[in-house]
Amino acid sequence: MSTPVPEKEAREKMPLLTKIKAEPGENTPERELPHRSFQKTIPRELLYWFLTIFTAGIFFFIARWLPQFKAYVRYRSCRNQVATHVLVKKVEEGVTWWDLIDVIEDVHFRFFEYKCLRYVYHPDDDRFLYQTYDVCLPFNKIHELSNGLDDSTVAQRLSMFGPNLLDVPVPSYPSLVISEALHPFYIFQVASAAIWYSDEYYIYATCIVVMAILAIAWTVYQTKQNMINLHEMATHHSTVRVIRNQEEEPKPSTDLVPGDIILISADMEVPTDCILLKGQCVVDETMLTGESVPVVKSSLPKESDAYNPKVHSQHTLFQGTKVLQAKSPRNTNVMAVVSTTGFSSTKGLLV
């Protein structure tokens, strides 16, 4: 269970948060998910389990199917500062859904993850904001990052943004079976079978049970295979040459953080979204766009214009694409600065 952070301790952690947040730019309201905050308390927890036992488990199923109902009964509404859970609101095709998510306590930050994206708590604003490294800076400011990062900055950003990894979780068979079996449809099937058994319609009731079991088994198998395929498609590990502490050194691609300077070479798969600072590349973007024609990428000019990843895609290398050719004047290294990592990258958002 996550423990709430006292206000004094939260503000002691704030300088690190401010330092990282100030470099990319200000967070915008669009990065805040509609949510309500809740705190776990002993009286509410006892009430929840009492009602579950008193109703012979019926209350448990209702709370499982209705997260908003569970949140208001099991937890106490509170400020973001002391929240141990958040109830996230999502609207899909005009239908409103709710997800109840745990708040995670890290060494430096408090955050929750929704659809693999991290929302970090900012004490000064008392808000959970989607944490991204915004590189919408003037071109000449981006070129100033070419010296690379030091170890302390890398550690801070790794804690803030997480590893550069598209790790799609693959649930175990038991968890999938439990999740599927507790669906309202199958609970209704079990209740129907129990009624038919009580009326001595044994064959009909047995048919209902057998068909329900077969349906659950097939659904679980299909879900498992789809998750495995997605996991294998998304996962990629490689060794990348990175400039850190003003020295070139090989690093695993999972250790990359926004602001890292990486060296680009031919035949490499781009490990994360990055902005080309020096040199020119020919890239195969079939994985992203489906177009088989290679795309030429040029280095970012040293101008005063502000970078925009949508407008200046000709200077951007996207994660998952393959570099067919890389060259730079006077045979120097082709360099790029990491802009986004993990599920915040173009490939990650597609996954």
Side-chain angles (χ1 to χ4, degrees):
M1 180 183 73
S2 300
T3 55
V5 179
E7 183 173 359
K8 180 180 179 181
E9 182 180 349
R11 296 195 178 277
E12 288 176 351
K13 297 178 180 181
M14 188 57 189
L16 175 61
L17 186 61
T18 304
K19 181 179 178 182
I20 295 178
K21 186 177 71 170
E23 291 180 2
E26 297 180 358
N27 284 280
T28 58
E30 289 75 19
R31 293 180 183 169
E32 184 179 14
L33 279 179
H35 72 277
R36 299 169 185 172
S37 298
F38 295 87
Q39 183 182 26
K40 193 171 186 177
T41 62
I42 294 179
R44 291 292 186 102
E45 188 74 8
L46 293 176
L47 174 64
Y48 172 80
W49 288 110
F50 169 77
L51 293 175
T52 297
I53 297 172
F54 182 76
T55 59
I58 296 177
F59 184 83
F60 171 82
F61 290 115
I62 296 175
R64 180 182 177 85
W65 299 330
L66 301 174
Q68 70 275 29
F69 176 75
K70 178 180 180 179
Y72 282 103
V73 173
R74 190 173 184 179
Y75 310 115
R76 179 177 64 87
S77 182
C78 66
R79 294 175 54 196
N80 289 328
Q81 178 186 343
V82 294
T84 57
H85 299 77
V86 291
L87 187 66
V88 177
K89 179 182 179 181
K90 57 180 181 178
V91 180
E92 296 179 357
E93 298 180 356
V95 180
T96 302
W97 300 86
W98 299 87
D99 280 335
L100 188 60
I101 305 172
D102 294 344
V103 174
I104 302 171
E105 180 72 26
D106 192 65
V107 176
H108 301 293
F109 314 104
R110 301 177 64 242
F111 62 91
F112 68 87
E113 292 187 346
Y114 180 70
K115 293 186 176 180
C116 299
L117 298 178
R118 182 171 294 187
Y119 295 82
V120 178
Y121 175 68
H122 291 249
D124 279 359
D125 302 324
D126 192 34
R127 295 194 297 172
F128 285 97
L129 301 176
Y130 169 47
Q131 201 62 32
T132 182
Y133 189 84
D134 186 5
V135 288
C136 296
L137 303 172
F139 292 171
N140 52 1
K141 293 292 183 181
I142 296 177
H143 276 281
E144 293 176 2
L145 304 174
S146 59
N147 290 328
L149 305 176
D150 54 39
D151 291 337
S152 61
T153 304
V154 170
Q156 293 171 3
R157 295 188 181 180
L158 191 61
S159 176
M160 168 66 74
F161 301 105
N164 177 39
L165 183 63
L166 300 181
D167 187 15
V168 179
V170 180
S172 63
Y173 275 115
S175 64
L176 287 173
V177 169
I178 293 173
S179 178
E180 188 68 20
L182 293 181
H183 191 278
F185 174 76
Y186 293 110
I187 297 299
F188 172 77
Q189 293 288 70
V190 171
S192 299
I195 294 174
W196 290 118
Y197 273 123
S198 65
D199 288 341
E200 299 182 356
Y201 286 88
Y202 299 117
I203 297 179
Y204 183 70
T206 302
C207 289
I208 293 177
V209 173
V210 170
M211 286 189 294
I213 292 174
L214 292 176
I216 291 173
W218 177 251
T219 303
V220 167
Y221 174 77
Q222 289 290 340
T223 303
K224 180 79 171 181
Q225 292 303 118
N226 291 337
M227 295 302 294
I228 291 175
N229 293 337
L230 184 60
H231 177 83
E232 293 175 350
M233 180 189 70
T235 304
H236 172 74
H237 303 278
S238 62
T239 301
V240 185
R241 292 182 298 160
V242 185
I243 296 179
R244 287 183 181 171
N245 303 306
Q246 298 185 349
E247 294 182 0
E248 178 186 334
E249 51 185 299
K251 290 289 183 181
S253 59
T254 54
D255 288 351
L256 293 178
V257 298
D260 259 331
I261 300 298
I262 63 175
L263 304 184
I264 307 298
S265 59
D267 297 325
M268 75 176 289
E269 181 175 327
V270 182
T272 184
D273 289 0
C274 50
I275 306 168
L276 199 58
L277 297 181
K278 183 190 295 185
Q280 188 180 63
C281 296
V282 178
V283 183
D284 180 5
E285 295 186 341
T286 305
M287 192 280 297
L288 289 180
T289 64
E291 294 290 339
S292 58
V293 179
V295 180
V296 178
K297 303 287 185 175
S298 59
S299 59
L300 193 72
K302 295 182 179 180
E303 300 173 355
S304 59
D305 293 347
Y307 173 78
N308 186 316
K310 296 181 179 179
V311 177
H312 303 106
S313 60
Q314 71 273 23
H315 309 304
T316 308
L317 301 177
F318 298 105
Q319 182 178 17
T321 58
K322 187 170 183 178
V323 179
L324 303 178
Q325 184 181 24
K327 60 181 181 179
S328 182
R330 297 181 294 277
N331 293 323
T332 56
N333 291 318
V334 178
M335 299 170 51
V337 58
V338 175
S339 56
T340 56
T341 58
F343 284 97
S344 295
S345 67
T346 304
K347 181 181 177 181
L349 294 175
L350 289 176
V351 172

